[in-house]
Amino acid sequence: MLRRLSLVCLLGTIHGPLAHAASDASCKPIIDADKGRASATSWHSKKTMNGMSMEMIRTGEDIYANMGGSGWKKMPPGMVNNIAKAVDSFNVSECKKLGAESVDGVATTIYSFTTTVPGQPTFSGKVWIGNKDGLPYREAGEKYEGTTTYTGVTAPAAK
């Protein structure tokens, strides 16, 4: 149960849209951003989802989670591989470029999207993708808001 809950929270924290294929080329930046984050060796993600705060850190092959302020816990081995597999399991469509904005000093392009997750309702949101590195820096939707940083990331003291 903990492993399943950890994976669900991890995937939600990593990125709202998690994408694999799209019917139009306008979704390519979002798909590439998801794959880029999944392969990045370090990141720090903060998200509020359905009123619950979640924070995750990846350093190398280790992933740590702090769900709802409960303290840092190291996730089971293999979570990094689960991320890569999950990126290929969902679908993103109806992507549109909305404009540009800076996120914590990083120049980004904002995209809207719709995501279909097997067995779940379809949802829509926005993602802010870095112009230079193609990585997602901010996500927002009806019930979630989050940011991700990629520099200066260190492992927390974890249980």
Side-chain angles (χ1 to χ4, degrees):
M1 177 67 175
L2 175 61
R3 186 172 175 85
R4 182 177 174 190
L5 176 63
S6 298
L7 179 58
V8 168
C9 292
L10 172 65
L11 296 176
T13 298
I14 291 169
H15 192 47
L18 288 173
H20 84 87
S23 58
D24 60 86
S26 64
C27 292
K28 186 174 179 354
I30 296 171
I31 293 166
D32 290 348
D34 282 332
K35 289 180 179 181
R37 182 174 14 208
S39 64
T41 57
S42 67
W43 43 257
H44 184 173
S45 178
K46 297 178 183 180
K47 184 172 279 194
T48 302
M49 241 177 152
N50 294 320
M52 181 180 161
S53 67
M54 295 178 278
E55 204 171 343
M56 301 201 94
I57 292 176
R58 176 180 179 181
T59 56
E61 293 299 310
D62 296 323
I63 296 178
Y64 303 86
N66 183 349
M67 313 266 183
S70 63
W72 289 103
K73 294 178 179 61
K74 189 172 181 181
M75 295 289 95
M79 291 300 280
V80 169
N81 292 334
N82 291 337
I83 295 168
K85 290 176 188 173
V87 167
D88 289 329
S89 68
F90 302 137
N91 189 25
V92 63
S93 61
E94 302 175 27
C95 304
K96 293 181 182 127
K97 188 188 262 189
L98 300 177
E101 189 173 294
S102 178
V103 176
D104 295 327
V106 176
T108 68
T109 300
I110 308 164
Y111 294 86
S112 63
F113 62 88
T114 298
T115 298
T116 305
V117 179
Q120 299 294 320
T122 298
F123 66 92
S124 298
K126 296 182 202 174
V127 60
W128 286 248
I129 298 174
N131 294 340
K132 288 187 179 180
D133 58 15
L135 294 171
Y137 283 86
R138 182 175 172 209
E139 307 92 36
E142 185 179 326
K143 296 182 180 182
Y144 69 94
E145 177 77 31
T147 59
T148 303
T149 56
Y150 300 91
T151 58
V153 178
T154 57
K159 296 177 188 175

